[in-house]
Amino acid sequence: MTVIALPRVRRRAPVALGACLLSFAAFWWAQRAAHVSMIDLMVYRAEGETVRAGGDLYALRTTEAHLPTTYPPFAALLFTPLTLLDTSTMRTLATAGNVALLVVFVALSLRLVDHARVEGVWWASAAAVWCEPVWTTVRYGQINLLLGVLVLWDLTRRPGHRWAGAGIGLAAAIKLTPALFALFLLVTGVVAYVRRGPGGPWLRHVRGSAVAFAGATLLAACALPYDSWRFWSRMVFETGRVGLVEDTANQSLRGVLARLLHTTQPGLWWVATAAVAGSLGLGVAVAAELRGRRAWAVAACAVTALLISPVSWSHHWVWCVPMVLILGTRGRAAAVGAAQVKAARTALVTAAGTSLVFCSYALWWVPHGPGRLELRQTGAQLTLSALYEGAGLVFLTLIGVRLWRTYRTV
């Protein structure tokens, strides 16, 4: 059997690689044809130039949109090499780098569910590159895939790995949102300890994250003392610097509530909703982790972070890639047992529906742009501009129900 199967495997991998390269080539051409601005990449370069010139990092306003600096100072240090490249080379390398990071992101996502076959990585990458969050990440020259790779690299290491926590800590030092993964590990470790179980592995992971975060932040403080003081004492609290909360591109609960309530300040409604969603989402992630469902736990934590963040732009939702892969592989695995056919169908249908949501670009079908048109959306338009949040809530609910059913059968 091995002699017969081996040539088939060897044939499948090159075909998958060829299809992936063809898809990437078409994607590259489409991005060039769309004359993508890579506006965020230009902001990153301006931050690097400001650091090298010794300027005021958080007084910076750059590009035609007058965009400000919003990341911690450590990120600006990492952006300084961009100043050594001309604009054309920088954009080319950013596109190639993001496409390469997508392949790594897919491979790590499949490793979470023990389906990291080479041909599977190529096929999934060929399809994932066309989803709206990935398209927009490359279009703006964003760093979402880099942060995702750092987090997944960290959470797919073997328990007790000496670099455990480094990825999450560095990601949080670049952009604060990934810090929720450290909180997730901390809560998991505490719950395990309270139950008189071995909470050490999770707590050691948190310690590694804290050390990496502190090291990167202190490095930035030494290099940029004034900017570090300004960011951690003031700018970190000014969420309005990021952009308009009601913008259709803001796919967080706060954005949905702003559009639903037709206000730029959802206030206590958002605080209460985020508190409930954050508690439940983190609870689902911790429960999944304690039952050995690392893939579910990681995806649930990522979705929770996106939901409760004050601003989650559509390109932040690159975590839809592991969401779909987890649902799809779970459906295929469940289909092995005849008694679980219904569960398999549910998972596969949900995976297909989730793929449709993130590949439809439907949130851009509604009125948006100058004039705050989002505050006057109709019921149907509000639904379209809340699809990502809806998909995230359905995903968390599906995992929660699955965990509850498993608990009741134990």
Side-chain angles (χ1 to χ4, degrees):
M1 293 296 293
T2 303
V3 175
I4 297 176
L6 187 57
R8 293 180 181 176
V9 173
R10 289 177 175 173
R11 284 197 300 268
R12 286 199 299 263
V15 170
L17 174 59
C20 184
L21 292 176
L22 183 62
S23 178
F24 285 173
F27 175 84
W28 193 295
W29 176 86
Q31 287 267 320
R32 299 286 80 76
H35 301 291
V36 294
S37 64
M38 291 198 170
I39 189 170
D40 289 340
L41 182 63
M42 302 307 295
V43 174
Y44 300 158
R45 185 183 190 184
E47 291 180 23
E49 290 174 340
T50 302
V51 168
R52 293 187 64 184
D56 188 339
L57 190 60
Y58 294 99
L60 175 68
R61 293 279 176 167
T62 187
T63 72
E64 295 180 357
H66 302 287
L67 297 177
T69 301
T70 58
Y71 294 169
F74 179 66
L77 288 180
L78 298 182
F79 296 148
T80 53
L82 296 177
T83 62
L84 304 177
L85 305 171
D86 61 80
T87 301
S88 178
T89 302
M90 180 180 66
R91 289 178 172 177
T92 299
L93 291 177
T95 301
N98 265 322
V99 170
L101 285 169
L102 174 64
V103 175
V104 179
F105 192 52
V106 168
L108 292 173
S109 299
L110 288 173
R111 180 186 293 179
L112 274 176
V113 291
D114 296 324
H115 279 73
R117 295 179 180 176
V118 174
E119 63 269 22
V121 173
W122 296 129
W123 285 118
S125 299
V129 75
W130 294 99
C131 71
E132 190 274 339
V134 173
W135 170 276
T136 311
T137 288
V138 180
R139 171 190 174 188
Y140 292 148
Q142 262 285 344
I143 58 171
N144 306 302
L145 289 168
L146 172 62
L147 298 178
V149 165
L150 283 173
V151 170
L152 286 186
W153 172 83
D154 201 339
L155 293 172
T156 53
R157 300 297 90 193
R158 68 179 186 274
H161 192 279
R162 63 177 179 175
W163 293 105
I168 293 174
L170 289 175
I174 296 170
K175 189 173 182 178
L176 295 179
T177 309
L180 189 67
F181 286 96
L183 178 60
F184 147 70
L185 292 169
L186 175 62
V187 174
T188 303
V190 170
V191 171
Y193 178 78
V194 170
R195 291 180 177 179
R196 299 183 179 180
W202 294 286
L203 297 179
R204 284 194 296 272
H205 207 143
V206 173
R207 185 168 62 245
S209 299
V211 170
F213 175 81
T217 302
L218 288 174
L219 174 63
C222 292
L224 305 168
Y226 175 70
D227 293 320
S228 295
W229 171 255
R230 279 196 76 191
F231 179 82
W232 295 108
S233 65
R234 178 182 172 186
M235 298 303 169
V236 69
F237 304 107
E238 295 185 1
T239 57
R241 288 170 55 86
V242 179
L244 299 177
V245 64
E246 75 276 7
D247 196 313
T248 296
N250 183 12
Q251 292 293 299
S252 70
L253 289 173
R254 187 169 179 236
V256 170
L257 287 172
R259 294 188 290 271
L260 179 64
L261 300 175
H262 306 291
T263 178
T264 59
Q265 297 295 333
L268 290 177
W269 285 104
W270 169 64
V271 174
T273 303
V276 172
S279 300
L280 294 177
L282 196 59
V284 168
V286 171
E289 177 71 9
L290 289 174
R291 295 187 192 178
R293 302 284 190 173
R294 170 59 65 91
W296 294 5
V298 172
C301 184
V303 170
T304 301
L306 291 166
L307 290 174
I308 67 175
S309 177
V311 174
S312 292
W313 301 127
S314 67
H315 51 77
H316 294 168
W317 282 83
V318 291
W319 286 95
C320 68
V321 174
M323 284 169 61
V324 172
L325 293 175
I326 288 168
L327 289 169
T329 53
R330 174 176 168 265
R332 290 183 62 186
V336 174
Q340 297 179 326
V341 170
K342 184 177 180 180
R345 288 176 179 173
T346 301
L348 290 173
V349 168
T350 307
T354 304
S355 299
L356 181 61
V357 165
F358 289 101
C359 292
S360 66
Y361 295 69
L363 75 161
W364 301 114
W365 300 354
V366 303
H368 61 276
R372 295 192 163 179
L373 302 176
E374 289 90 344
L375 295 178
R376 299 189 293 274
Q377 289 181 356
T378 64
Q381 292 168 347
L382 286 169
T383 300
L384 289 177
S385 64
L387 282 177
Y388 289 11
E389 295 87 347
L393 290 172
V394 168
F395 182 80
L396 289 177
T397 301
L398 185 65
I399 293 177
V401 170
R402 179 65 176 171
L403 289 171
W404 174 250
R405 287 176 178 175
T406 304
Y407 173 78
R408 293 184 63 185
T409 57
V410 174

